[in-house]
Amino acid sequence: MSNLLRFQVVEEAFKKKAREVPTPSERPSEYFGKYVFNRQKMFKYLPAEVYNKMIDVMDNGARLDRSIADAVAEGMKKWAQEMGVTHYTHWFQPLTEGTAEKHDAFVEHDGKGGMMEAFSGKLLVQQEPDASSFPNGGIRNTFEARGYSAWDPTSPVFIIDDTLCIPTIFIAYTGEALDYKAPLLRSIRAVTKAAKEVCDYFYEDVKKVQVNLGWEQEYFLVDEGLYSARPDLLMTGRTLMGHESAKNQQMDDHYFGTIPDRVQAFMKDLEIQALELAIPCKTRHNEVAPNQFELAPIYEECNLAVDHNMLLMSLMKRVARNHGFRVLLHEKPFDGINGSGKHNNWSLTATQKKGSVLLHAPGKTPEENLRFVTFIVETLMAVYRHNGLLKASIVSATNAHRLGGNEAPPAIISSFLGKQLTELLDHIELSDKDELFNLKGKRGMEIDIPQIPDLIIDNTDRNRTSPFAFTGNRFEFRAPGSSANCASAMIALNSAMAEALIDFKARVDAKIAKGDNKVSAILDVLREDIKTCKPVRFDGNGYSEAWVVEARRRGLDVEKSCPKIIEHYLDESSIRMFEATKVMNRKELEARNEVKWETYVKTVQIEARVMGDLSMNHIIPVSTHYQSQLIKNVQGMKDVFPVERAERLSARNMKLIEEIAERTERIEQLVEELTDARRIANRIPAIHQRAIAYHDTVCPKMEAIRTEIDHLEMIVEDGLWSLPKYRELLFIR
């Protein structure tokens, strides 16, 4: 791309005005949920008896009575038509990491040669998408296409444009889950039931337990014109080549800095539309890397939070294009700077008559602190027992590039607790007394500046290198990637926690049955578990090489190969846990692993093809064209200057000519080797072994090619280089 053409692309992206963002006259609280069939609208559009039954389903987990489906559908249709809606769709989350929808119109024959608007309870409750066309891991064959989507009434229906979107699960004709929502709902049911039974040790009136999730969505923005001029970004979501910019994030001046005007307009537009869909956006800011930003909501019930995150990612892409941007959700779109994650803040809340209690938060009495320690320790037990599985739940071909980088946790799952909690657990482990304990709450810190009020300091610091850190009243699972469906990590975590709580209760009950008092029985089991799960506790630097050695000694999973990490879903301990909690069976787990391995292969395969194409059709021609110009210059020198002086003056160009020749030769050879490696891997019939081959033989060739190309980028004339460079991609004008 010539300097002139590159300048024109940048200018065009800069001149493209962000669409004017309407400023609502109402406050956000007044238009929040405008396009959602929430409780307020249900109360208005549904008969009282139907409304009460729906609330019982949503709040108490009652089974949906299909007899009320027609009344609910009629109320939904009436509201939707008043909002200008003409179509409806079952909105579900197949194993593609995205969402799926098939739109149908509110029309039926009226029997008189005309049409009428219709939407029945049958159409609301279930539909029949093609189960063979979505990833299914061999559960369904091409000639076995039947599958069902079924309405999830706990997640509100919403409107996008002219379509009523109905959140649903997606299952095969034979009953296996083909999506993320079905096993997520099962895992939530398992952990909330187990948690309530443990809560009964501490409270007399716990009605239910809720799983909370607060995700933090990181993302990059790039100008649409520059994005379109990068085939690798367009096809893979990341730059497969590109030398780092002289200035990137080393000054830390982008982090929490002033948000650029164009980005602010995008964020404002996004937030308005998100709030109208009841996505409770709360926080926005610049992240560490240039062009990197973050959005975070108020915490919600886990299932709803997952739906909202999937909806937001789709919404971000639409809104960004209206502002001349493209959103990059790839975990590592640019080499040499931070990648993007999706931190999952997870906790449990018990609901009582007198209010709610965060089970991972310290209490005000010794008895409540025993409850707090119980849920902390059993969470650690879940993480320890299923250390490899939790890593498998977040790993992917894209997230593998991010883990272990600056600001991203390492690919070793450990938990940070902080000094106070660590000392408390150590004290309980070593004590032989059945004593309860008090915890220090938040404390004041006096600042030696009269005008500044005292600060309230949390009872724990934060560790940015910890994948699973305790942050005062919740755990922050920092390892999930920015493009991932949060449900993957939550399914594993919820299920593991359910198993830990069930096991804890069984052992406590056994001690009580033998005559121990309740407090003594709980403390005895806690001492056992504190000692057992100690290897997963780590408060130090997760980036150090010493930690890798220590983690291996402790028995934690230190594997770096994505295809091998995924194997943990098929560990006998994983299968036993998922089946015991009724979240997934062996067949579903085997199918999901097939999908994960196949997705890995296809992701790397596409990247390898794009890299080969760019290398042979862009990089080498541009480099040899510049080489030809240098050769003409050297020849011209000999025509103008005496031989010795011409050789001296041409020495630099001769060196460049030789380096270009050597590097382009190596690239051509490496591309041929890359193609051969793909061909050999593609002949491997077992998808698991094929994925391992892609990791072991294809990925290293791509890295080697990138090294050569990035060196060429620094020596080829800037005006000839065919791709926008990092210094252009990373700084919004």
Side-chain angles (χ1 to χ4, degrees):
M1 179 182 290
S2 68
N3 274 334
L4 178 59
L5 182 54
R6 184 185 286 118
F7 177 77
Q8 289 172 340
V9 169
V10 175
E11 282 300 296
E12 192 61 33
F14 177 62
K15 289 178 180 179
K16 183 172 182 178
K17 299 291 185 182
R19 79 177 181 89
E20 186 176 347
V21 180
T23 302
S25 57
E26 313 99 325
R27 296 176 180 177
S29 59
E30 294 174 322
Y31 60 82
F32 180 78
K34 177 180 178 181
Y35 295 112
V36 177
F37 195 65
N38 54 24
R39 295 177 188 231
Q40 181 184 21
K41 299 183 183 74
M42 287 169 57
F43 184 81
K44 178 179 178 182
Y45 288 92
L46 300 183
E49 182 181 355
V50 174
Y51 171 80
N52 290 331
K53 287 185 177 180
M54 283 297 299
I55 296 301
D56 191 30
V57 171
M58 295 165 64
D59 287 352
N60 304 318
R63 183 172 292 278
L64 177 67
D65 182 355
R66 287 185 69 125
S67 66
I68 69 171
D70 282 335
V72 176
E74 183 60 32
M76 283 182 182
K77 179 171 72 73
K78 184 178 180 181
W79 166 70
Q81 287 182 320
E82 290 176 4
M83 300 295 290
V85 168
T86 58
H87 289 68
Y88 66 94
T89 183
H90 275 200
W91 183 82
F92 57 100
Q93 301 167 29
L95 301 178
T96 57
E97 299 295 337
T99 59
E101 53 197 66
K102 179 189 71 172
H103 298 200
D104 287 304
F106 284 140
V107 293
E108 295 290 346
H109 287 293
D110 65 0
K112 302 174 184 178
M115 302 295 292
M116 64 179 181
E117 288 77 22
F119 180 55
S120 67
K122 179 182 178 181
L123 297 175
L124 167 64
V125 170
Q126 73 178 60
Q127 280 189 336
E128 186 189 330
D130 187 342
S132 68
S133 296
F134 290 102
N136 60 66
I139 286 179
R140 306 296 288 158
N141 295 306
T142 302
F143 59 87
E144 297 173 320
R146 198 180 296 277
Y148 297 106
S149 54
W151 176 35
D152 170 17
T154 63
S155 184
V157 169
F158 56 91
I159 294 171
I160 297 290
D161 294 329
D162 64 352
T163 303
L164 182 70
C165 300
I166 305 162
T168 62
I169 65 169
F170 181 42
I171 61 172
Y173 177 73
T174 46
E176 295 88 1
L178 297 176
D179 69 342
Y180 283 104
K181 181 182 274 286
L184 175 66
L185 290 172
R186 294 172 189 160
S187 75
I188 291 171
R189 179 187 60 192
V191 73
T192 54
K193 181 177 183 295
K196 183 186 180 305
E197 291 178 353
V198 172
C199 279
D200 290 340
Y201 288 137
F202 308 102
Y203 306 103
E204 296 180 353
D205 60 345
V206 173
K207 297 170 61 179
K208 66 175 184 178
V209 172
Q210 175 176 293
V211 184
N212 309 307
L213 171 61
W215 40 263
E216 303 169 25
Q217 180 69 59
E218 295 177 337
Y219 61 96
F220 281 84
L221 289 175
V222 294
D223 280 306
E224 190 166 23
L226 297 174
Y227 171 89
S228 299
R230 289 284 310 219
D232 48 356
L233 273 180
L234 191 67
M235 301 290 287
T236 73
R238 75 179 179 110
T239 53
L240 299 175
M241 55 199 69
H243 198 283
E244 68 178 55
S245 172
K247 179 183 186 299
N248 47 53
Q249 67 183 48
Q250 64 265 53
M251 301 298 291
D252 294 322
D253 53 345
H254 189 257
Y255 191 50
F256 279 26
T258 302
I259 299 172
D261 289 344
R262 290 178 61 209
V263 177
Q264 183 90 340
F266 156 76
M267 288 180 169
K268 184 177 180 180
D269 196 0
L270 175 63
E271 286 179 4
I272 290 171
Q273 295 190 44
L275 289 169
E276 288 176 337
L277 289 166
I279 303 172
C281 298
K282 176 75 173 178
T283 302
R284 65 189 185 199
H285 63 82
N286 289 3
E287 259 300 337
V288 175
N291 282 20
Q292 188 186 32
F293 308 94
E294 181 180 293
L295 181 152
I298 301 170
Y299 298 174
E300 298 180 282
E301 185 276 324
C302 184
N303 177 47
L304 182 59
V306 169
D307 281 1
H308 278 166
N309 182 246
M310 297 303 293
L311 178 56
L312 180 87
M313 289 194 290
S314 176
L315 187 62
M316 290 171 77
K317 295 173 183 177
R318 294 178 56 195
V319 175
R321 298 195 69 172
N322 291 333
H323 293 263
F325 291 126
R326 285 297 186 108
V327 166
L328 302 181
L329 293 175
H330 192 289
E331 283 74 14
K332 195 75 169 180
F334 302 103
D335 194 37
I337 61 174
N338 280 11
S340 295
K342 179 149 48 194
H343 307 160
N344 284 198
N345 294 277
W346 173 89
S347 64
L348 301 172
T349 298
T351 301
Q352 303 172 273
K353 291 181 181 178
K354 61 182 179 181
S356 298
V357 177
L358 265 174
L359 298 180
H360 287 101
K364 296 181 180 179
T365 66
E367 291 77 12
E368 283 206 318
N369 286 328
L370 181 60
R371 175 268 304 157
F372 163 66
V373 171
T374 296
F375 279 90
I376 291 293
V377 172
E378 294 315 307
T379 302
L380 295 175
M381 284 293 290
V383 176
Y384 173 68
R385 284 174 174 162
H386 297 284
N387 185 263
L389 174 65
L390 287 173
K391 186 158 79 169
S393 75
I394 57 87
V395 78
S396 66
T398 54
N399 201 23
H401 294 290
R402 162 184 168 260
L403 294 176
N406 184 36
E407 285 287 308
I412 301 172
I413 304 297
S414 64
S415 185
F416 166 84
L417 297 180
K419 182 179 179 182
Q420 181 182 350
L421 189 51
T422 296
E423 290 176 349
L424 174 61
L425 296 189
D426 290 343
H427 171 74
I428 295 172
E429 178 190 357
L430 298 174
S431 174
D432 58 359
K433 299 178 182 179
D434 293 339
E435 59 180 3
L436 295 179
F437 35 81
N438 288 304
L439 289 170
K440 296 178 183 178
K442 293 186 177 183
R443 57 188 174 84
M445 175 187 286
E446 184 177 343
I447 304 298
D448 192 21
I449 303 174
Q451 299 89 337
I452 305 298
D454 291 351
L455 299 181
I456 305 300
I457 305 302
D458 288 288
N459 54 22
T460 176
D461 200 351
R462 299 186 71 181
N463 186 324
R464 307 295 288 180
T465 71
S466 177
F468 197 84
F470 180 66
T471 57
N473 59 11
R474 64 191 183 277
F475 281 92
E476 183 181 18
F477 197 5
R478 295 175 53 81
S482 56
S483 67
N485 188 324
C486 297
S488 180
M490 293 297 99
I491 291 166
L493 180 56
N494 289 339
S495 303
M497 184 63 172
E499 180 193 58
L501 291 172
I502 291 168
D503 179 64
F504 170 81
K505 186 176 187 303
R507 288 181 291 146
V508 171
D509 286 350
K511 289 181 178 291
I512 293 174
K514 291 180 180 179
D516 289 2
N517 67 63
K518 182 175 68 175
V519 171
S520 177
I522 291 173
L523 284 170
D524 281 351
V525 174
L526 285 177
R527 288 189 190 100
E528 295 171 5
D529 288 353
I530 290 170
K531 184 176 182 179
T532 299
C533 69
K534 206 166 189 176
V536 86
R537 289 160 46 191
F538 179 66
D539 288 3
N541 180 9
Y543 293 156
S544 70
E545 288 299 319
W547 168 232
V548 178
V549 176
E550 173 63 16
R552 182 181 289 108
R553 187 191 67 79
R554 294 186 185 190
L556 302 182
D557 188 279
V558 297
E559 179 62 60
K560 294 183 178 180
S561 168
C562 178
K564 292 181 180 179
I565 293 170
I566 294 170
E567 294 172 10
H568 286 295
Y569 272 100
L570 298 182
D571 290 346
E572 283 303 316
S573 59
S574 299
I575 295 172
R576 186 167 54 249
M577 180 266 289
F578 279 123
E579 290 189 332
T581 54
K582 298 181 179 179
V583 174
M584 286 185 282
N585 59 36
R586 182 184 293 268
K587 185 176 181 181
E588 288 173 315
L589 290 167
E590 289 173 347
R592 280 161 196 269
N593 263 33
E594 290 286 310
V595 171
K596 287 178 179 290
W597 284 321
E598 187 174 4
T599 300
Y600 181 88
V601 167
K602 289 178 178 178
T603 300
V604 179
Q605 185 181 73
I606 291 169
E607 290 184 347
R609 286 174 173 172
V610 172
M611 174 160 270
D613 173 40
L614 286 176
S615 298
M616 301 305 294
N617 297 313
H618 291 250
I619 304 304
I620 289 180
V622 167
S623 301
T624 53
H625 179 59
Y626 179 55
Q627 185 185 47
S628 298
Q629 291 184 350
L630 293 175
I631 291 171
K632 289 180 181 179
N633 178 270
V634 170
Q635 291 172 339
M637 288 282 192
K638 292 179 180 178
D639 292 338
V640 174
F641 297 104
V643 175
E644 290 186 4
R645 191 176 181 194
E647 290 178 352
R648 179 166 54 82
L649 293 174
S650 302
R652 176 181 178 277
N653 285 353
M654 285 298 298
K655 185 177 180 182
L656 291 177
I657 291 168
E658 185 176 353
E659 182 175 357
I660 291 171
E662 290 174 352
R663 293 195 183 278
T664 52
E665 182 182 25
R666 280 198 292 269
I667 290 172
E668 193 166 1
Q669 180 182 347
L670 285 167
V671 168
E672 185 175 341
E673 292 174 4
L674 176 67
T675 304
D676 289 341
R678 278 183 22 236
R679 286 173 179 163
I680 293 170
N682 289 337
R683 295 192 194 106
I684 300 174
I687 188 63
H688 180 198
Q689 297 304 317
R690 195 185 316 153
I692 291 174
Y694 262 86
H695 175 274
D696 294 348
T697 63
V698 176
C699 290
K701 297 296 182 187
M702 292 173 63
E703 288 300 313
I705 293 171
R706 176 171 194 150
T707 298
E708 301 297 335
I709 292 174
D710 289 358
H711 277 92
L712 283 174
E713 182 182 318
M714 297 302 291
I715 62 177
V716 172
E717 181 194 344
D718 189 62
L720 294 177
W721 196 252
S722 58
L723 304 172
K725 298 183 177 181
Y726 273 22
R727 66 167 184 256
E728 295 147 355
L729 290 165
L730 284 173
F731 297 94
I732 292 173
R733 300 181 60 193

